[in-house]
Amino acid sequence: MSGFPSFNYRNNVLCGESVRLDRIAREFGTPCYVYSRHALVAAYSEFDSAFAGRDHLVCYAVKANSNLAILNLFARLGSGFDIVSGGELRRVLEAGGDPRKIVFSGVGKQPDEMRVALEAGILCFNVESEAELEILDQVARSMNQIAPVSFRVNPDVDARTHPYISTGLKENKFGIPFEEAESLYASAQKLANVRVTGLDCHIGSQLTELDPFVETREKMLGLLDRLEARGLKIHHLDLGGGLGIRYSSEKPPPARAYIAALCGGMVQRKQRILVEPGRVLVGNAGILLTRVEYLKHATHRNFAIVDAAMNDLMRPALYNAYHEILPVAPGTQADVKTYQVVGPVCETGDFLGHDRELALLPGDLLAVMSAGAYGMSMSSNYNSRPRAAEVMVDGDRAHLIRERESMDQLMAGEKILP
Ligand code: LLP
């Protein structure tokens, strides 16, 4: 067992569902992201069914992984989507997502993006400042439309996660200060081209405890009561995303416990609950497949230089994040050594894993686990490296869902001076 459902050893070879990862490497090359359809569907279904009949909408946070095949899978399951740009909107529509199930988050929406979202008829704009509200009102007026609005408030709760992905503290750039929320709702009522429909928050990502969610829920319900006491009609409460996954020894609560915690105190209330999960739906449904190029045994350290790098998976370099690294075909004749698993990019920060006990030979394949979320979607072309291919396994079949990028694609659009 690998400990990661849908990626397991069979006859001593790591497989995605029933497909051997060495076959995928032969067919599609490396580096290559591999996702499991079964794991994606299972994660979504577990999450969605945990609401047990309560009126709700799961809005998958597109930023976690925006491949069209993945968006399309979720759309087929009835998912809504949380987007943060016109680009993500375009992807969701292209993938067959229902615009009436889209919420638009983000602190810096541009008028053009607001316009296309209004044209598409999205469910709601999660507005993060008074200035944004005014621009949205103007854009909607110019189109003779009414923009549905939910305010993202900042509940000032410590998510106890990495500081870069903690968003619910008052010093973070996100949301409307909690104390100002009521007056902002009041001023929104005076604007002719926005209509308040919801209340929203998101406190951070990769949370592995329930307490911060519960504390947030309590604050949000208090605010909801005060808004209703002012005569405002709030149709939905959006409690954001943020549930963590297991990368190594974390023990995040299961979806069921998390949803139960979110819904606590909501029994008597009529509001629809929205959630914006990203990582928990895709994180452990994907891996990054890479090949060992060279082994370098320096005096103090052993380096395994692989063909994937920080441009493919940025999380280790950016957050010092841990991803388990498993051999695809363990049991080579090589000795076990402590390796620094590094990529070819010219930076010391370019590593995928430090101090890993592995028995390696050049040419061996490795699987970097839990790479389905914020892997490909944060990749870049640094060092002029074309981006990896993406493959989805489904039972015993493997489908290419994104071709490996070519150098021609990379340079298209660049011009030499006359
Ligand atoms: N909703 C909003 C408004 C968000 O900003 C985010 C994530 C989500 C939902 C989804 O959160 P999730 O369920 O995935 O935790 N690149 C970082 C994570 C950044 C998260 C940004 N916001 C990483 O690789 O860990």
Side-chain angles (χ1 to χ4, degrees):
M1 287 296 282
S2 70
F4 297 92
S6 299
F7 292 94
N8 285 302
Y9 288 99
R10 292 188 183 187
N11 302 323
N12 216 27
V13 176
L14 191 59
C15 297
E17 302 192 17
S18 307
V19 186
R20 291 168 59 121
L21 293 180
D22 54 352
R23 182 192 130 194
I24 291 186
R26 255 196 324 276
E27 218 166 297
F28 304 103
T30 52
C32 177
Y33 276 97
V34 184
Y35 309 109
S36 152
R37 176 180 185 165
H38 179 262
L40 291 164
V41 172
Y44 180 86
S45 307
E46 185 189 352
F47 214 84
D48 194 46
S49 63
F51 283 93
R54 213 210 133 81
D55 186 18
H56 73 282
L57 181 64
V58 175
C59 295
Y60 166 62
V62 174
K63 63 171 84 68
N65 190 318
S66 53
N67 184 289
L68 292 180
I70 290 179
L71 300 180
N72 172 260
L73 259 190
F74 288 146
R76 288 195 224 178
L77 295 170
S79 183
F81 296 92
D82 166 47
I83 59 164
V84 290
S85 69
E88 288 189 350
L89 173 61
R90 174 82 197 279
R91 281 180 173 278
V92 171
L93 298 178
E94 195 78 29
D98 182 347
R100 290 162 308 173
K101 294 184 182 172
I102 295 177
V103 296
F104 194 164
S105 301
V107 289
K109 301 175 200 77
Q110 295 173 8
D112 278 355
E113 296 178 311
M114 294 172 173
R115 208 163 286 129
V116 283
L118 278 167
E119 266 161 19
I122 66 165
L123 176 64
C124 158
F125 290 84
N126 290 341
V127 169
E128 300 216 19
S129 65
E130 184 155 16
E132 182 193 333
L133 180 69
E134 283 159 15
I135 298 290
L136 181 59
D137 182 59
Q138 285 167 24
V139 171
R141 188 171 328 130
S142 74
M143 297 172 69
N144 211 8
Q145 284 214 28
I146 311 261
V149 161
S150 167
F151 285 107
R152 172 171 177 185
V153 300
N154 184 327
D156 193 24
V157 169
D158 187 353
R160 292 179 235 152
T161 180
H162 190 285
Y164 286 10
I165 53 176
S166 181
T167 52
L169 283 172
K170 59 176 181 293
E171 55 265 37
N172 299 137
K173 70 178 174 184
F174 298 97
I176 285 147
F178 205 70
E179 326 66 71
E180 292 170 27
E182 283 167 76
S183 71
L184 202 55
Y185 270 93
S187 36
Q189 280 183 300
K190 298 188 198 114
L191 298 176
N193 293 83
V194 297
R195 181 170 42 88
V196 169
T197 62
L199 174 60
D200 165 49
C201 67
H202 170 77
I203 58 169
S205 196
Q206 182 55 15
L207 275 75
T208 52
E209 304 163 49
L210 286 179
D211 293 355
F213 290 118
V214 172
E215 193 183 336
T216 302
R217 178 202 73 199
E218 284 308 296
K219 285 194 155 182
M220 296 298 283
L221 291 182
L223 178 56
L224 189 62
D225 287 341
R226 294 194 292 281
L227 293 173
E228 289 190 316
R230 283 170 173 256
L232 275 146
K233 289 240 176 319
I234 306 291
H235 301 285
H236 72 253
L237 179 63
D238 181 341
L239 291 166
L243 181 59
I245 60 167
R246 187 177 80 77
Y247 286 96
S248 56
S249 57
E250 302 91 335
K251 289 196 178 62
R256 195 162 295 279
Y258 162 76
I259 303 288
L262 293 190
C263 293
M266 288 293 291
V267 187
Q268 303 301 330
R269 295 169 202 258
K270 55 196 175 312
Q271 277 84 12
R272 185 183 203 196
I273 297 189
L274 267 57
V275 280
E276 305 169 352
R279 189 186 320 260
V280 71
L281 298 189
V282 292
N284 273 326
I287 62 129
L288 174 60
L289 186 60
T290 182
R291 192 179 288 281
V292 177
E293 302 261 32
Y294 301 106
L295 296 177
K296 186 160 151 176
H297 304 287
T299 329
H300 299 295
R301 307 194 107 185
N302 300 303
F303 294 97
I305 301 162
V306 300
D307 63 4
M310 66 188 285
N311 74 294
D312 300 300
L313 180 65
M314 199 186 187
R315 303 191 71 258
L318 188 60
Y319 315 114
N320 203 17
Y322 180 93
H323 286 258
E324 188 117 34
I325 299 180
L326 298 176
V328 169
T332 54
Q333 298 306 307
D335 294 337
V336 174
K337 289 191 165 64
T338 305
Y339 279 101
Q340 312 305 317
V341 181
V342 301
V345 161
C346 303
E347 297 215 21
T348 301
D350 177 29
F351 70 93
L352 297 176
H354 283 145
D355 301 324
R356 304 303 172 88
E357 302 291 314
L358 292 161
L360 296 177
L361 291 173
D364 281 358
L365 291 167
L366 294 173
V368 184
M369 308 307 288
S370 315
Y374 306 108
M376 187 63 174
S377 63
M378 289 175 73
S379 66
S380 78
N381 293 121
Y382 188 38
N383 279 210
S384 281
R385 289 169 50 84
R387 262 172 295 198
E390 290 177 288
V391 169
M392 174 106 60
V393 295
D394 181 9
D396 58 3
R397 284 172 304 166
H399 303 277
L400 184 63
I401 58 168
R402 180 180 163 136
E403 288 173 12
R404 182 175 308 286
E405 222 166 11
S406 71
M407 268 317 293
D408 286 339
Q409 282 173 298
L410 249 66
M411 292 186 294
E414 293 183 38
K415 300 267 187 301
I416 287 171
L417 294 183

